[in-house]
Amino acid sequence: MVCAVSALVVGLLSPADTSQEAWGLAAALGYGCAALVAARSSAPWAPAPAVVAVVGAVVVPLVYLTVISKEQMEVGVVERAADLLFASGTPYHPTPHVVRDFNPYLPGMALFGIPHMLFGESPFTSARLWFLVGFLAAVAGAIRVLTNGRETDAGRVSTPRGVTGRTGVLWLIACPVVALPLTIGGVDPPVIGLMCLALAFTQRGDAGRAGLALGAAATLKWTAWPAIPVLVAVLAVRGGQRTAAKCAAGTVGIAVLAVLPSALADTGAFYRNVVLYPLGLGPTASSAQSPLLGHLITVLVPHGKAVTMALIVLSAAGVGLSLLIRPPRSAVSGADRLALGLTLAIVLSPATRIGYAIYPIILLTWPRFAAALSAGVLGKQSHGTGRRLTSGRDGAYQPVGFLSYRSPWPAVHPPSAATTAAPSRSPLITCQRLACVSERALACNARTTEGC
């Protein structure tokens, strides 16, 4: 019901005849139907209301907006970026004047516009559709990583509350901060999807693939870059400096290879589009004008832009210092630290959108679900092999002696009750008892032989 009210507010407060208005009014009805189904369900996170919410808040509005050819401006920006990339070697307009001329995204985002460039205007070549495909592929990959690469486990293994991997993905898609950009063509879902994939690899201890996934996200948008020091700090604590360096090398290497050629091809265009315009420091005002603290400081305080930049630098320095003083020890705590840093940046930025809330909200919820699902997978493996689970130093559960999964983090085995409660005995008493047991066994064996 909270989602229905939120969607209705979006629909009523959005400008008339926009994709946001159409989504809000349609999604409010879909969330209302899902609330009725959830009220009749015995489980709190059942799959049935999640399916209804996805259909009502994503599928129906997406089909409707596609039919009437209404989409967010970012879709056209990305499609034009692909045209420019193949025509001039850089996805940025050299002399942008109006808002539609600017491309505030990194060069990797232009890949989502390639189908439109190759095959022309079509519902199947729209960048909006490929944003959705990229997000779903990243999240599906994350679930596959968490379930040890077995697709069948995604529908069987569940968290302690009974939520399977597939049901968790449905609830993630149904979340309003995800459903809205997926429907109208926002660019943030594939970025946060790749960040979720990187966190899943971090949860499983695969530093190399975590770096590759995060590097792919870092080629799309600046919002993925703050995750680099956070994940490196997590992996340094859990796996050592070599593990952290492996992740950092993969991430920075991919990002630099993708960004540097476009930046060198036309440095001025890159600086105007990717640095000045997103921060609201260029001559053309950004379309992101949500009334958050940074925007209000810029409007109401003298030299407001300089003040907001100083506050952003101080907040980034504070979060970075916390990584050195008290580094996060798990993917969950690392995601919490990253959510804090991004929230401060979103609130203090002079040009921002409330829609950027997709980052802190997903970062605060998804890693907890991932950790619970990973524990469910290990619990199922332990139950099937008769092995017991012990708690690792990062709080995750590991099966002792289980051969098909070897955790990269050393497990800390708590002392058993028998070990802690039993008093120490001298070697002489122990040897006497062993001798007594051996004599009894030999006598029993002799009687058995005589009986035969």
Side-chain angles (χ1 to χ4, degrees), residues 234-244 393 408-410:
V234 173
L235 291 168
V237 172
R238 299 179 63 179
Q241 294 183 356
R242 181 174 297 180
T243 301
R393 71 176 181 180
W409 320 122

Side-chain angles (χ1 to χ4, degrees), residues 132-142 193-194 197:
L132 174 63
V133 171
F135 171 76
L136 294 179
V139 174
L194 288 170
L197 179 59

Side-chain angles (χ1 to χ4, degrees), residues 45 90 136 300 393:
W45 297 98
T90 175
L136 294 179
L300 302 176
R393 71 176 181 180

Side-chain angles (χ1 to χ4, degrees), residues 261-320:
S262 296
L264 295 178
D266 193 337
T267 305
F270 180 85
Y271 183 68
R272 286 187 291 270
N273 283 268
V274 181
V275 179
L276 294 180
Y277 178 75
L279 294 175
L281 302 178
T284 303
S286 172
S287 59
Q289 299 291 338
S290 296
L292 298 178
L293 181 60
H295 178 69
L296 296 178
I297 292 176
T298 303
V299 174
L300 302 176
V301 177
H303 307 288
K305 290 184 178 180
V307 173
T308 56
M309 290 296 101
L311 291 175
I312 291 175
V313 171
L314 289 176
S315 63
V319 175

Side-chain angles (χ1 to χ4, degrees), residues 1 36 62 74 84 94 116 168 259 263 283 302 308 321 324 326 351 410 434:
M1 190 56 66
L36 294 177
L62 178 60
E74 283 80 350
L84 287 172
H116 180 272
V259 174
T308 56
L321 187 61
L324 298 175
R326 191 175 181 181
L434 289 174

Side-chain angles (χ1 to χ4, degrees), residues 23 26-27 29-30 52-66 183:
W23 175 86
L29 180 60
V52 174
V54 169
V55 172
V58 178
V59 177
V60 172
L62 178 60
V63 172
Y64 171 71
L65 291 174
T66 302
T183 304

Side-chain angles (χ1 to χ4, degrees), residues 49-448:
V51 172
V52 174
V54 169
V55 172
V58 178
V59 177
V60 172
L62 178 60
V63 172
Y64 171 71
L65 291 174
T66 302
V67 169
I68 65 174
S69 299
K70 192 177 291 296
E71 59 199 13
Q72 197 164 335
M73 183 179 60
E74 283 80 350
V75 175
V77 170
V78 172
E79 291 173 351
R80 285 192 296 274
D83 295 336
L84 287 172
L85 178 63
F86 281 83
S88 62
T90 175
Y92 305 108
H93 195 291
T95 55
H97 297 290
V98 297
V99 172
R100 289 184 176 273
D101 292 339
F102 286 90
N103 173 22
Y105 314 118
L106 294 177
M109 191 67 75
L111 296 177
F112 294 100
I114 291 178
H116 180 272
M117 181 203 66
L118 294 177
F119 303 104
E121 191 73 29
S122 169
F124 300 102
T125 61
S126 173
R128 169 169 51 187
L129 175 64
W130 294 101
F131 293 152
L132 174 63
V133 171
F135 171 76
L136 294 179
V139 174
I143 292 295
R144 186 176 176 83
V145 171
L146 295 171
T147 55
N148 287 340
R150 286 188 289 272
E151 295 180 357
T152 55
D153 283 349
R156 296 178 182 177
V157 179
S158 63
T159 66
R161 294 190 176 185
V163 183
T164 64
R166 293 172 183 170
T167 304
V169 171
L170 289 174
W171 281 113
L172 178 66
I173 297 172
C175 180
V177 296
V178 178
L180 174 59
L182 285 178
T183 304
I184 66 177
V187 299
D188 295 300
V191 181
I192 190 64
L194 288 170
M195 292 169 69
C196 290
L197 179 59
L199 287 169
F201 280 122
T202 303
Q203 177 74 26
R204 302 301 289 172
D206 194 335
R209 289 187 174 91
L212 295 178
L214 187 56
T219 65
L220 303 179
K221 200 174 181 182
W222 287 121
T223 47
W225 285 66
I228 298 176
V230 175
L231 289 193
V232 169
V234 173
L235 291 168
V237 172
R238 299 179 63 179
Q241 294 183 356
R242 181 174 297 180
T243 301
K246 186 177 181 180
C247 175
T251 302
V252 177
I254 291 178
V256 170
L257 287 176
V259 174
L260 193 60
S262 296
L264 295 178
D266 193 337
T267 305
F270 180 85
Y271 183 68
R272 286 187 291 270
N273 283 268
V274 181
V275 179
L276 294 180
Y277 178 75
L279 294 175
L281 302 178
T284 303
S286 172
S287 59
Q289 299 291 338
S290 296
L292 298 178
L293 181 60
H295 178 69
L296 296 178
I297 292 176
T298 303
V299 174
L300 302 176
V301 177
H303 307 288
K305 290 184 178 180
V307 173
T308 56
M309 290 296 101
L311 291 175
I312 291 175
V313 171
L314 289 176
S315 63
V319 175
L321 187 61
S322 72
L323 295 177
L324 298 175
I325 297 176
R326 191 175 181 181
R329 296 181 175 273
S330 67
V332 174
S333 59
D336 291 344
R337 201 77 58 88
L338 178 59
L340 173 62
L342 288 176
T343 300
L344 292 173
I346 292 169
V347 172
L348 296 175
S349 177
T352 187
R353 283 195 178 105
I354 296 178
Y356 294 158
I358 184 176
Y359 291 99
I361 291 177
I362 299 303
L363 288 172
L364 290 173
T365 55
W366 169 263
R368 286 169 170 78
F369 168 75
L373 185 64
S374 182
V377 172
L378 299 183
K380 181 181 178 181
Q381 294 173 347
S382 174
H383 178 73
T385 57
R387 308 281 183 173
R388 64 184 178 90
L389 288 176
T390 62
S391 176
R393 71 176 181 180
D394 62 332
Y397 290 98
Q398 307 174 23
V400 178
F402 188 68
L403 298 180
S404 65
Y405 169 69
R406 179 178 296 174
S407 173
W409 320 122
V412 180
H413 304 290
S416 61
T419 305
T420 56
S424 59
R425 299 182 177 90
S426 66
L428 179 61
I429 296 177
T430 303
C431 291
Q432 290 176 349
R433 291 193 175 188
L434 289 174
C436 181
V437 171
S438 300
E439 291 174 358
R440 290 179 181 179
L442 290 173
C444 179
N445 186 35
R447 287 196 298 270
T448 304

